[in-house]
Amino acid sequence: MEFNIKSGSPEKQRVACVIVGVYESRKLTFAADLLDRISNGFISDVIRHGDMEGKLGSTLVLHSVPHTLCDRVMLVGLGKEREFRAKEYREAVRASVKALTQTSASEAVSYLSELTVKKHDVEWMIEQATVVTLDALYRFDRFKSKQDESAREPRKLTLAVPRRSDLADGEKGLQRGLAIGNGMKLAKDLGNLPGNVCTPSYLADEGRKVADAFGGEAEILGPKEIAELGMHSFLSVAKGSSEEARLIVLKHQGAKDKSDKPIVLVGKGITFDSGGISLKPGEGMDEMKYDMCGAATVLGAFRAVVEMNLPLNIVAIVPTCENMPAGNAVKPGDIVTSMSGQTIEVLNTDAEGRLILCDALTYAERFNPATVVDVATLTGACVIALGHIATGLYSNQDSLARELLAAGEEVADRAWHMPLWDEYQEQLKSPFADMANIGGRPGGSITAACFLSRFAKAYDWAHLDIAGTAWKGGKEKGATARPVPLLVQFLQDRADIALGNVVRRGRPRREAPEVADDEQD
């Protein structure tokens, strides 16, 4: 779909549909009021008769509104005016896009992007409208023999800005929104692909394509090179599969000084997780194709930031393999040696994500990173603790945790700071090795993070457990692309700091900020 930015009066738009808002108080937005005046109170009459109450997310399409040039006027409920916030704005935009796909309108102009959301500027309004629109339009029907015709994607959507002087900021927001949306689409596509298609080698090829498309660097290591690095913990997980392991390393040299320390993103890439010898129950095992969503979101975030050409040095590291049962597969009780030289007693082969991540975290040291953030569908215990709303966040630096939390709040991709106290490390003791790969059921997500922390002592590090947020089940089954928005906002904030700009945090950039069920992978 084509996007456009425009400043102009709604009654002058000769398009298939003009989108405006209505509050629960029956108050019309500025754009809706202009249409009401030129139509001699037509919209007010509709509202007065109770056909549109302004409830948040409700929509009503009006045809042939008198004295207007458009074919349709869509009214979108905005809820209570005094409570109209970023969350309500996103919901209103999403509802308008969903309703638009149920019409035959090929072009539309949305005036929702002209609304006022406290502490947010035009650039943010356009960016978020673009991201939400692309997310709402996303469909994954690659493997269906017949396409779903129940929803039609418009050919063009124009997002309105209040003044001509806002056009430049609107264009900036649009380009950011498109980059984030494209990154999210990549993450969702990779996550939704079946395990017989999205193999480790396929994931490596997709990573290389991203790097090649935007002038980045890609290095793909196979089993021989991985073994030479001493990544025996990683390779122990891949032993039971006929699919060979891959280590994907992508680089973006965007900083003015190429010697600047990079920010490293690490993504767990288990393209299918059977549990290995500690086999998972059959019910719901199909969803274990999503166990590479950490890798998918790292690749998606990397795509977004290289498309935006952020002035940062960024490295993406993805260890990827399958976890399968076989005669040669790693067994409970086996002891493996990690790249760091630390030994691990494998008590449960279904706690495999940490076994591949620990070697990737050690590998990250060679880049002398400023910060390392790993992303993984790591533990069922995190789902029990936080449900499907918040991503679990662990860090060895509280300041880094605060950065990530604030970035998530800015883009509605929320995380929650979890403890990483030394007392939990006791649960990982092993009588036969330096550590066990599980610490028992209590605090399973915490002890998994504690395990990873042992391999991240050389730098500032954060871990995002996305087991509860990476995908949805049921009728809406599919990958969510979380936490791509959080990661991109975090990196944008770091880029702003590098450029000496004020970090946008719920307010225009020109203003100064306020001071402010189990543990298995």
Side-chain angles (χ1 to χ4, degrees):
M1 183 175 69
E2 178 185 350
F3 285 86
N4 191 28
I5 305 296
K6 177 186 284 189
S7 174
S9 191
E11 72 273 13
K12 298 178 180 179
Q13 304 305 314
R14 196 181 296 274
V15 291
C17 186
V18 169
I19 303 171
V20 294
V22 180
Y23 293 102
E24 277 186 16
S25 61
R26 296 186 177 181
K27 179 181 177 180
L28 303 178
T29 60
F30 180 72
D33 185 60
L34 289 176
L35 292 174
D36 187 50
R37 292 182 185 185
I38 199 171
S39 64
N40 298 322
F42 183 87
I43 295 175
S44 295
D45 284 343
V46 169
I47 295 172
R48 194 160 38 246
H49 285 91
D51 293 327
M52 162 58 79
E53 297 179 348
K55 183 178 180 181
L56 181 63
S58 60
T59 59
L60 178 65
V61 177
L62 306 176
H63 293 263
S64 304
V65 176
H67 310 301
T68 60
L69 300 178
C70 58
D71 298 332
R72 307 167 183 79
V73 172
M74 181 189 295
L75 303 180
V76 181
L78 305 178
K80 298 177 181 179
E81 183 181 8
R82 67 179 184 274
E83 296 178 359
F84 193 67
R85 301 162 297 184
K87 178 181 178 183
E88 283 70 30
Y89 172 63
R90 295 186 186 94
E91 188 169 337
V93 171
R94 184 176 297 276
S96 71
V97 174
K98 290 289 188 182
L100 191 61
T101 63
Q102 300 304 312
T103 73
S104 59
S106 61
E107 293 187 26
V109 180
S110 176
Y111 284 84
L112 299 182
S113 51
E114 284 191 351
L115 295 172
T116 299
V117 177
K118 189 176 181 181
K119 297 183 179 180
H120 289 290
D121 60 358
V122 169
E123 183 179 338
W124 183 92
M125 298 291 287
I126 296 296
E127 172 198 312
Q128 289 300 299
T130 306
V131 172
V132 171
T133 297
L134 292 174
D135 189 48
L137 291 174
Y138 177 82
R139 288 189 295 176
F140 187 79
D141 50 15
R142 172 173 165 180
F143 296 98
K144 292 197 174 186
S145 57
K146 294 182 179 179
Q147 304 300 306
D148 183 7
E149 299 296 337
S150 62
R152 304 174 183 87
E153 181 175 309
R155 181 179 61 83
K156 181 179 180 181
L157 177 64
T158 297
L159 300 173
V161 295
R163 296 170 295 274
R164 293 185 63 84
S165 58
D166 293 323
L167 288 171
D169 285 341
E171 285 292 343
K172 290 179 184 177
L174 175 59
Q175 295 310 311
R176 277 175 51 83
L178 288 172
I180 296 167
N182 290 336
M184 291 177 67
K185 182 181 185 302
L186 174 63
K188 284 189 278 189
D189 283 347
L190 292 173
N192 289 330
L193 284 170
N196 62 319
V197 174
C198 188
T199 60
S201 58
Y202 181 95
L203 206 57
D205 289 341
E206 290 301 300
R208 188 184 297 278
K209 287 178 184 177
V210 170
D212 290 346
F214 295 98
E217 301 176 32
E219 182 180 11
I220 311 298
L221 305 183
K224 181 180 178 181
E225 295 88 351
I226 296 170
E228 289 173 352
L229 288 169
M231 292 184 168
H232 303 298
S233 180
F234 174 16
L235 288 177
S236 73
V237 178
K239 285 172 59 179
S241 174
S242 58
E243 294 286 346
E244 292 187 340
R246 294 286 187 272
L247 183 68
I248 306 166
V249 184
L250 309 180
K251 299 176 185 176
H252 167 67
Q253 296 287 99
K256 186 176 181 180
D257 186 347
K258 304 306 179 185
S259 65
D260 281 359
K261 293 183 178 182
I263 296 172
V264 177
L265 304 179
V266 180
K268 172 188 170 184
I270 301 292
T271 56
F272 188 78
D273 181 19
S274 69
I277 298 299
S278 305
L279 194 67
K280 290 179 180 290
E283 183 179 358
M285 195 191 286
D286 61 292
E287 293 187 346
M288 288 301 97
K289 69 177 186 177
Y290 295 119
D291 210 24
M292 42 64 66
C293 280
T297 55
V298 163
L299 293 178
F302 185 84
R303 187 200 191 284
V305 298
V306 295
E307 182 175 340
M308 293 160 61
N309 195 25
L310 286 187
L312 296 172
N313 293 335
I314 299 170
V315 177
I317 302 173
V318 173
T320 176
C321 65
E322 289 183 339
N323 184 26
M324 299 291 284
N328 63 333
V330 66
K331 306 175 293 298
D334 285 359
I335 294 177
V336 298
T337 303
S338 67
M339 182 182 180
S340 69
Q342 298 177 88
T343 57
I344 305 162
E345 183 183 13
V346 181
L347 297 182
N348 190 316
T349 66
D350 194 24
E352 86 298 329
R354 63 201 76 179
L355 295 178
I356 72 171
L357 286 172
C358 69
D359 280 345
L361 290 173
T362 301
Y363 184 80
E365 286 186 34
R366 64 181 51 205
F367 299 105
N368 190 24
T371 303
V372 176
V373 180
D374 79 69
V375 189
T377 51
L378 203 66
T379 64
C382 193
V383 185
I384 300 304
L386 298 175
H388 300 283
I389 307 300
T391 290
L393 166 61
Y394 299 85
S395 182
N396 60 12
Q397 288 292 332
D398 286 346
S399 58
L400 173 58
R402 287 193 294 269
E403 281 186 77
L404 290 163
L405 289 172
E409 290 288 344
E410 177 78 0
V411 292
D413 188 4
R414 301 172 76 183
W416 187 256
H417 194 183
M418 301 282 280
L420 195 65
W421 301 332
D422 289 342
E423 289 85 342
Y424 289 103
Q425 296 280 359
E426 293 295 310
Q427 294 175 224
L428 294 172
K429 284 187 174 180
S430 164
F432 305 114
D434 294 331
M435 70 195 82
N437 76 323
I438 59 173
R441 290 178 63 85
S445 179
I446 300 172
T447 54
C450 286
F451 178 94
L452 295 178
S453 73
R454 298 184 178 203
F455 302 86
K457 293 180 179 180
Y459 43 71
D460 291 353
W461 160 80
H463 161 61
L464 296 172
D465 192 332
I466 60 170
T469 55
W471 78 88
K472 294 180 180 179
K475 292 190 297 183
E476 296 183 354
K477 182 177 179 180
T480 64
R482 293 181 64 186
V484 169
L486 182 158
L487 291 172
V488 175
Q489 186 62 49
F490 165 71
L491 293 168
Q492 177 67 66
D493 291 343
R494 283 292 180 100
D496 284 338
I497 293 170
L499 293 174
N501 297 334
V502 174
V503 173
R504 183 179 64 184
R505 183 66 69 233
R507 60 180 59 239
R509 289 179 187 271
R510 61 181 176 272
E511 296 181 20
E514 293 180 358
V515 178
D517 69 345
D518 55 28
E519 67 168 8
Q520 296 174 357
D521 295 4

